[in-house]
Amino acid sequence: MSTQNVLTPYNNNNNLSLKNRVVMAPMTRSRAANGGNVATDELQGLYYEQRASAGLIITEGSQVSAEAIGYINTPGIYTDAQVEGWGKVTKRVHDQGGKIFIQLWHVGRMSHPDFHNGALPVSASAINPEAKSFTYNGFKDTVTPKEMSIEDIKRTVKDFQKAGENAIKAGFDGVEIHSSNGYLFQQFFNGCSNTRTDEYGGSIENRARFFFEVLDAMKEVIPQQKIGARFNPSCHGMFGMEVDEETIPTFEYIVKKLNDYNLAYVHLSEPFTDVSEVPFAVTEIAKHFRPLYNGTLIINAAFDQEKANKVIEEGDADLVAFGKPFISNPGLVARFAQNLELVEWDADTFYTAGEKGYTDYPAISK
Ligand code: PHB
């Protein structure tokens, strides 16, 4: 039988050398130690170690500041304790021969005053996403956020930069900027959430400016080859996001401009929701964006072994990120190699506490 594409090593001649093309997608699991949002050796250390046969692990979104939080028990990367906690995780993954990037996250308006001592979450503009926020007191309606001042924007650029420095201190192989899924950067990109009239709103270039300021600040402290970025261009009907006529051109502009950089990768998602009837949305993201980007492209969302091998064979992506299959199959790579059945995931334990549904899925041998 011929070698499967996802199982072949990957080297982009740009410092990204992976033992296979199976990437563990970033996934919020809400199990960081409460009262500090710290990743722990016992839980996150074991969880990621069990999945270290992936070519690359991208961690769950991790807050770059206290202001960035929007979900309970999600880890951060801005305090010394958080850096120390993540240091234990990266060591365990490296000891298994794995590679691990941390996803740097700011949720913007997808938060709630409960997380901020009653203060408003921040966003590009004062527009309520009309969504739900998962707080320590259960799901609550989101509120109208505070429009970020120029000072807020500059401070947030620094927060990302500092988080990047912290990530390297914690031993990560790189960082992924979470500019996807309706969170802070996408709130700047999309017209539904950005009605600013200053240099951060209006034109496509202006709506992308904040992201590129963060990227430029990040590359002052981390080699570009250790920076990736994630985008969900056809994000619609989720977390308050809507696609309009300027949305896809905005992502085309961003992805093309990223050719001027020398990043580890660009990570794109196929639509999470059905956008077949949504005007201006693109349904085949890898096919649409591959010709626009010269560097390493990761594609994600609802791929199985067969589709993953095919997308690589057709040249529409270099690497494929798997989410839920990795939750219930820590040995996903070995299962692909041996063409074994996958274990079903239990959606009821995606965001619950402790080891159940987290570190207790069967290893390949069981
Ligand atoms: C989620 O918890 O549902 C979630 C978090 C981060 C994402 C997407 C979904 O990027």
Side-chain angles (χ1 to χ4, degrees):
M1 200 184 75
S2 64
T3 313
Q4 300 179 49
N5 294 311
V6 279
L7 301 179
T8 58
Y10 181 72
N11 187 340
N12 68 355
N13 297 319
N14 184 28
N15 210 25
L16 191 69
S17 173
L18 308 178
K19 60 194 172 192
N20 59 59
R21 294 162 189 253
V22 178
V23 175
M24 180 174 170
M27 283 175 289
T28 291
R29 303 303 312 277
S30 291
R31 282 163 167 91
N34 200 347
N37 303 88
V38 175
T40 63
D41 199 17
E42 299 74 28
L43 273 178
Q44 285 71 39
L46 179 58
Y47 171 71
Y48 287 114
E49 176 188 285
Q50 289 172 338
R51 290 155 181 81
S53 55
L56 177 66
I57 292 172
I58 306 166
T59 72
E60 62 212 275
S62 304
Q63 290 86 238
V64 299
S65 66
E67 204 174 60
I69 194 171
Y71 292 78
I72 65 166
N73 297 332
T74 48
I77 181 76
Y78 58 94
T79 70
D80 290 344
Q82 291 165 350
V83 173
E84 197 183 314
W86 277 124
K88 294 177 184 152
V89 177
T90 60
K91 179 168 187 322
R92 287 179 78 150
V93 170
H94 290 151
D95 285 350
Q96 298 297 317
K99 291 207 168 151
I100 181 164
F101 276 38
I102 184 170
Q103 194 190 52
L104 301 181
W105 196 20
H106 192 313
V107 303
R109 65 183 189 166
M110 280 302 301
S111 186
H112 190 275
D114 279 10
F115 289 109
H116 310 287
N117 299 316
L120 292 177
V122 298
S123 188
S125 297
I127 301 171
N128 188 334
E130 307 290 351
K132 296 280 177 199
S133 176
F134 187 29
T135 76
Y136 289 99
N137 303 308
F139 281 104
K140 290 198 174 178
D141 291 336
T142 52
V143 301
T144 302
K146 170 186 184 273
E147 174 171 316
M148 286 172 86
S149 64
I150 298 295
E151 199 189 341
D152 291 332
I153 290 175
K154 302 285 177 217
R155 186 183 62 251
T156 306
V157 169
K158 292 265 178 245
D159 288 341
F160 270 89
Q161 192 181 41
K162 184 79 179 119
E165 277 175 345
N166 285 344
I168 299 302
K169 249 191 247 167
F172 284 102
D173 298 290
V175 304
E176 174 176 288
I177 301 173
H178 191 347
S179 26
S180 199
N181 299 349
Y183 295 114
L184 184 62
F185 293 108
Q186 193 155 14
Q187 292 160 28
F188 276 79
F189 298 153
N190 285 33
C192 66
S193 43
N194 183 348
T195 53
R196 300 176 74 101
T197 53
D198 63 3
E199 67 266 39
Y200 294 97
S203 67
I204 285 177
E205 189 185 350
N206 282 356
R207 282 186 271 115
R209 185 179 309 282
F210 174 40
F211 167 78
F212 281 102
E213 286 182 356
V214 165
L215 185 54
D216 288 337
M218 192 71 77
K219 76 183 177 63
E220 284 173 17
V221 295
I222 304 186
Q224 292 185 61
Q225 294 94 329
K226 290 178 183 277
I227 305 172
R230 185 172 209 229
F231 304 98
N232 185 350
S234 285
C235 188
H236 187 95
M238 169 181 134
F239 302 155
M241 276 296 115
E242 284 163 34
V243 172
D244 63 30
E245 70 266 40
E246 289 207 309
T247 306
I248 297 300
T250 302
F251 288 98
E252 289 168 351
Y253 165 83
I254 293 168
V255 168
K256 278 194 216 156
K257 193 170 155 86
L258 288 173
N259 286 315
D260 299 340
Y261 293 76
N262 195 21
L263 299 189
Y265 62 77
V266 165
H267 184 177
L268 300 177
S269 301
E270 298 291 345
F272 286 2
T273 53
D274 179 6
V275 296
S276 51
E277 308 280 314
V278 177
F280 311 113
V282 163
T283 52
E284 288 191 288
I285 292 293
K287 272 214 181 330
H288 186 89
F289 284 91
R290 171 73 283 184
L292 306 184
Y293 185 60
N294 303 328
T296 298
L297 197 67
I298 307 180
I299 190 70
N300 169 243
F303 280 84
D304 59 16
Q305 183 179 0
E306 193 187 328
K307 282 207 273 177
N309 283 321
K310 187 153 169 271
V311 76
I312 295 171
E313 184 187 324
E314 291 181 349
D316 291 331
D318 301 297
L319 308 168
V320 180
F322 297 86
K324 294 178 195 119
F326 249 121
I327 289 182
S328 49
N329 297 274
L332 188 64
V333 172
R335 283 185 192 269
F336 285 167
Q338 296 170 45
N339 289 306
L340 296 177
E341 290 258 317
L342 298 192
V343 173
E344 272 300 309
W345 55 80
D346 172 13
D348 290 344
T349 52
F350 279 174
Y351 305 111
T352 48
E355 63 186 30
K356 188 167 182 318
Y358 192 57
T359 51
D360 64 349
Y361 282 105
I364 187 80
S365 55
K366 290 190 197 137

